[in-house]
């Protein structure tokens, strides 16, 4: 098996061949990967922005798709031959420990309960969901992270109402899927804030009605101007910064305005908010995977995809072979590619 491994934070991943895959034990599922996503969480892990990594050398990746090849004792959710979505959000089933792989020199490579930067993975049963009908394996990758988070914030946490005015900060994968879900929920006005004119223009294809270039204007003032000075009914921050969490919170209306952030700023950073905003009934919360329950929400969001209400095919970005994983990470970091895809057939 081939795996992209983090040996030291701050260094590129090294692609290692001839890794030995352990036999799945109780609660584990062995999956042959078809595709893996690449998201900002891995960038942060690689750069050490989540603090020191105690598991080096470490296998990474937390969203993927593939076929089950073997199951350990006690596994009931899937059987060999099933296509599955792999994701980091815990669902039903056994919670098994991370697998330990062996490099060709016998040294141990550590892994968490799910990894996807490897052509075969032994994962925990509760990180697998059987692939719903009508979802191709490449699109399926998005159901491991970006869809449960982006659509989950809108449909589980905000419960966006028809006719509402919503703001989305950051039109990466999560922000763009949130736009799709806001449109599906019937929001009449969807304001997008980003610093890339190209991403803002693309957002209009998915339901954005108003765009704000945060490099050109103060987004909070611009949102006020668009909402008769009141602020939006809800705001979602998916731009990844403490500053944008603060701006998203400042941009919702008093007495009921709700801000949910998906951003994971580097550990150690703090946000600053006006306490009077809380006193006057604005709400602020962070999101853990859109409060999605994978076994319930993956089939639910897949139905929206089949109905054409979550047009996810258009989000699938450039495809990379696993050996080019560092190029994929660079392209994600620079914003050149919204949602890079590792294709294990390349
Ligand atoms: Zn992710």
């Amino acid at each position: 098996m081939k795996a992209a491994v983090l040996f030291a934070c701050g260094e590129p991943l090294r692609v290692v061949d001839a890794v030995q895959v352990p036999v799945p034990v109780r609660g584990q599922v062995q999956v042959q990967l078809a595709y893996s996503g690449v998201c900002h969480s891995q960038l942060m892990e690689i750069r050490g922005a989540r603090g020191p990594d105690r598991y080096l050398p470490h296998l990474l990746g937390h969203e993927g798709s593939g076929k089950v090849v073997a199951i350990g004792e006690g596994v009931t959710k899937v059987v060999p031959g099933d296509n599955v979505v792999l994701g980091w959000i815990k669902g039903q089933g056994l919670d098994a420990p991370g697998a330990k792989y062996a490099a060709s020199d016998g040294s141990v490579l550590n892994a968490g309960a799910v990894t996807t930067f490897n052509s075969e993975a032994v994962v925990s049963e509760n990180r697998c969901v059987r692939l719903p009908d009508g979802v191709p394996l490449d699109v399926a990758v998005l159901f491991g992270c970006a869809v449960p988070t982006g659509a989950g914030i809108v449909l589980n946490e905000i419960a966006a109402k028809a006719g509402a005015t919503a703001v989305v900060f950051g039109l990466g994968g999560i922000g763009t899927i949130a736009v799709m879900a806001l449109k599906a929920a019937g929001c009449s006005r969807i304001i997008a804030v980003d610093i890339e004119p190209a991403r803002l223009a693309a957002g209009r294809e998915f339901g954005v009605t108003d765009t704000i270039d945060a490099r050109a204007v103060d987004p909070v003032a611009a949102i006020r101007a668009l909402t008769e000075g009141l602020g939006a009914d809800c705001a979602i921050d998916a731009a990844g910064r403490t500053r944008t969490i603060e701006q998203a919170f400042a941009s919702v209306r008093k007495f009921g305005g709700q801000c949910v952030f998906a951003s994971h700023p580097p550990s150690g950073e703090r946000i600053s908010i006006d306490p009077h905003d809380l006193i006057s009934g604005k709400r602020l919360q962070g999101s853990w995977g859109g409060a999605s329950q994978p076994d319930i929400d993956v089939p639910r969001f897949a139905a929206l995809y089949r109905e054409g209400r979550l047009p996810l095919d258009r989000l699938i970005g450039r495809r990379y072979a696993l050996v080019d994983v560092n190029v994929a990470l660079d392209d994600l970091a620079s914003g050149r590619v919204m949602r890079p895809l590792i294709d294990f057939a390349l």
Side-chain angles (χ1 to χ4, degrees):
M1 177 274 270
K2 198 181 278 210
V5 183
L6 180 66
F7 282 90
C9 288
E11 285 181 13
L13 299 182
R14 261 192 271 158
V15 178
V16 179
D17 284 313
V19 175
Q20 213 177 330
V21 181
V23 173
V25 298
R26 183 173 169 76
Q28 289 181 330
V29 178
Q30 185 178 346
V31 177
Q32 184 167 25
L33 272 287
Y35 298 96
S36 170
V38 179
C39 84
H40 283 274
S41 295
Q42 287 90 55
L43 276 178
M44 296 187 72
E45 287 170 328
I46 292 164
R47 291 169 174 181
R50 294 237 165 119
D53 186 334
R54 294 178 291 125
Y55 299 101
L56 298 174
H58 198 176
L59 272 60
L60 302 180
H62 70 190
E63 60 212 54
S65 64
K67 190 185 277 291
V68 174
V69 292
I71 56 175
E73 188 201 324
V75 171
T76 56
K77 266 171 77 169
V78 294
V79 295
D82 283 347
N83 284 327
V84 287
V85 175
L86 303 181
W88 61 272
I89 304 166
K90 277 189 192 180
Q92 292 163 14
L94 294 170
D95 190 32
K100 288 196 188 303
Y101 298 78
S104 56
D105 64 359
S107 62
V108 172
L109 304 172
N110 296 304
V114 62
T115 64
T116 61
F117 286 1
N118 36 311
S119 56
E120 290 217 14
V122 172
V123 305
S124 179
E125 181 184 24
N126 63 358
R127 304 312 205 281
C128 300
V129 175
R130 195 136 27 103
L131 183 69
D133 289 341
V135 180
L137 278 164
D138 52 359
V139 172
V141 163
L142 299 169
F143 285 83
C145 176
V147 170
T149 305
I153 287 175
V154 172
L155 302 172
N156 293 334
E157 299 193 279
I158 287 177
K161 295 195 175 59
T165 294
V167 184
V168 177
F169 281 72
L171 291 184
I174 288 171
T176 302
I177 291 168
V179 167
M180 294 175 189
L182 288 163
K183 187 181 176 201
C187 289
S188 56
R189 192 158 204 187
I190 303 171
I191 303 166
V193 181
D194 204 294
I195 54 173
E196 282 294 333
R199 280 204 294 264
L200 289 168
R204 288 188 180 272
E205 290 176 38
F206 301 112
V208 167
T209 58
D210 302 85
T211 58
I212 296 170
D213 181 345
R215 277 196 180 144
V217 295
D218 169 21
V220 178
I223 291 160
R224 292 214 170 282
L226 288 170
T227 55
E228 290 156 353
L230 297 174
D233 296 309
C234 56
I236 294 161
D237 171 51
R241 297 166 184 275
T242 50
R243 182 85 190 105
T244 54
I245 295 170
E246 293 165 355
Q247 290 172 333
F249 179 60
S251 69
V252 298
R253 64 178 166 80
K254 292 181 177 179
F255 306 107
Q258 188 181 5
C259 173
V260 181
F261 61 94
S263 291
H264 287 201
S267 58
E269 291 193 5
R270 294 286 182 272
I271 56 171
S272 172
I273 57 172
D274 180 346
H276 291 275
D277 278 343
L278 293 172
I279 294 163
S280 60
K282 293 189 184 187
R283 289 172 291 161
L284 175 64
Q285 68 190 84
S287 179
W288 185 263
S292 283
Q293 298 172 270
D295 300 280
I296 295 166
D297 288 321
V298 167
R300 181 176 157 225
F301 299 152
L304 289 175
Y305 166 74
R306 287 193 299 269
E307 291 163 14
R309 298 167 79 196
L310 291 181
L312 301 167
D313 301 84
R314 287 192 265 160
L315 276 194
I316 297 293
R318 199 178 142 191
R319 291 154 197 263
Y320 303 79
L322 184 66
V323 291
D324 296 324
V325 65
N326 293 304
V327 180
L329 286 156
D330 287 345
D331 285 350
L332 177 70
S334 70
R336 275 190 295 274
V337 177
M338 191 193 286
R339 214 70 195 173
L341 194 67
I342 304 292
D343 180 345
F344 288 92
L346 292 178

